[in-house]
Amino acid sequence: MSVSSEDVDYELTRAQYFVRSNPKQSQAILNQIKNINSLSDEQKVAFYTLKMRTSLILNKLEAVEPHLDSLFALDDKSAFADKLVTILSGSGIWLRKSNYFDAAQQVFSCALKHTEKSGQRISILISSAIVARHQQNYAIAISLYNQAAAIAKKLDNLRAIATIENNLGAIAMDQGDIKQAELHFRQALSGFQRTNNHSGHINSGINLLFTFIIQNQDINYQRLYPHISKLSDEYPDNSKKAYLFWVDSTYTHSQGYKLPTTVKDNLYSSFDKLASPQLQALIRTYLATRLDIQLPPVTFAKARLFENKSWYTKVLNCNW
């Protein structure tokens, strides 16, 4: 059923409400809005921005660029200027997820020039740091995280601080500094607990369990595992479940139990469900060897050169 023009603002508000909690519902609402060309500039920008954001959250990368084309075609409108940082942020995340790392950094650099709100600045710095980690530019990534953390602490933004701590822990793991990683993950877990962020709570908890196994901290593991396992069971994320399965299977093995062949088979199949190549590499290094499981080398996505699309040329100019 098409939505009448007088109801478009209401439907866009509804779609905005569901972006994080239920992105599929948000997309369903947006898909009911027809005759996009007849919408006002403000409505068009809101519509395409929400389409871009929900597609990114749902990891429908192939759907994103047409929305970017539509948005940047409106870049001379005041409505575009009002959403500029959000649009640039989404563009950079899409480029990063598509392995256009250099282009993503260009977009985030432009976004920082136009960012006036502290919360947005934190978000852009974190996004830029994530790209730097993908490029293994760890010193740059840590510097960006520290810049973001300084702003977040001034604002007492506990969720952002927890995110930064968790990501710094991941970098410490990449670099083999497990004790430092544990300290970061402890801070992250505490922050996510205080802000009721279930996804971050589970992820930082599993990360912490991982460090306990590597350091043979059995008592710490036994204290934390039941809580994190319960949260993971209740949360619909197969990548987190696969991660916890690997971690707990390794712990079980460390206690002298021989893993059945069926469990080892399930470990093999769950390896592909892990959230990132970085995590796969860490599990291959630290856990698979303990379980005497032979895994193929992890394939990291090769950085790609982004074609000079018209909207990307505008980003390089960064003249809004």
Side-chain angles (χ1 to χ4, degrees), residues 72-284:
F72 281 95
L74 298 163
D75 79 323
D76 59 340
K77 311 295 184 184
S78 61
F80 181 93
D82 292 340
K83 293 271 191 183
L84 175 60
V85 175
T86 299
I87 293 166
L88 290 173
S89 174
S91 306
I93 291 169
W94 175 75
L95 287 164
R96 189 256 299 169
K97 287 191 170 190
S98 303
N99 305 320
Y100 299 116
F101 299 135
D102 288 340
Q105 289 293 37
Q106 291 284 357
V107 173
F108 292 136
S109 177
C110 176
L112 284 172
K113 292 178 183 177
H114 292 279
T115 303
E116 296 175 355
K117 297 177 181 177
S118 295
Q120 285 184 325
R121 191 164 188 84
I122 292 169
S123 177
I124 298 297
L125 286 166
I126 289 173
S127 290
S128 186
I130 290 170
V131 176
R133 182 193 175 202
H134 277 283
Q135 296 173 307
Q136 297 186 319
N137 292 331
Y138 294 125
I140 292 173
I142 292 168
S143 174
L144 290 164
Y145 281 132
N146 288 338
Q147 290 176 53
I151 301 169
K153 286 170 183 174
K154 284 183 182 177
L155 298 176
D156 199 29
N157 187 331
L158 298 179
R159 180 170 179 170
I161 293 168
T163 298
I164 293 162
E165 289 288 349
N166 193 61
N167 292 357
L168 285 170
I171 288 176
M173 290 288 285
D174 286 349
Q175 297 180 310
D177 191 342
I178 309 305
K179 192 63 190 174
Q180 187 63 42
E182 179 194 336
L183 296 175
H184 284 304
F185 292 144
R186 284 184 180 274
Q187 292 295 319
L189 180 61
S190 174
F192 285 130
Q193 284 176 314
R194 292 166 67 188
T195 56
N196 293 319
N197 182 311
H198 289 157
S199 177
H201 187 162
I202 296 164
N203 207 41
S204 57
I206 303 174
N207 287 340
L208 194 52
L209 289 169
F210 194 171
T211 67
F212 291 158
I213 285 179
I214 296 171
Q215 299 173 99
N216 300 312
Q217 295 181 14
D218 291 351
I219 293 174
N220 282 338
Y221 187 95
Q222 291 161 10
R223 285 174 179 162
L224 181 60
Y225 175 77
H227 170 62
I228 298 301
S229 177
K230 183 174 184 295
L231 286 177
S232 179
D233 285 344
E234 296 168 353
Y235 195 80
D237 187 326
N238 289 332
S239 65
K240 288 180 174 57
K241 294 182 195 302
Y243 185 13
L244 185 59
F245 180 51
W246 265 95
V247 167
D248 195 53
S249 296
T250 307
Y251 173 75
T252 300
H253 178 75
S254 75
Q255 300 304 296
Y257 294 97
K258 182 176 173 60
L259 296 182
T261 303
T262 52
V263 171
K264 287 195 173 186
D265 289 343
N266 288 336
L267 286 167
Y268 278 113
S269 60
S270 66
F271 188 73
D272 290 333
K273 297 176 184 175
L274 296 169
S276 68
Q278 287 95 336
L279 180 56
Q280 288 181 327
L282 289 169
I283 282 181
R284 185 175 182 271

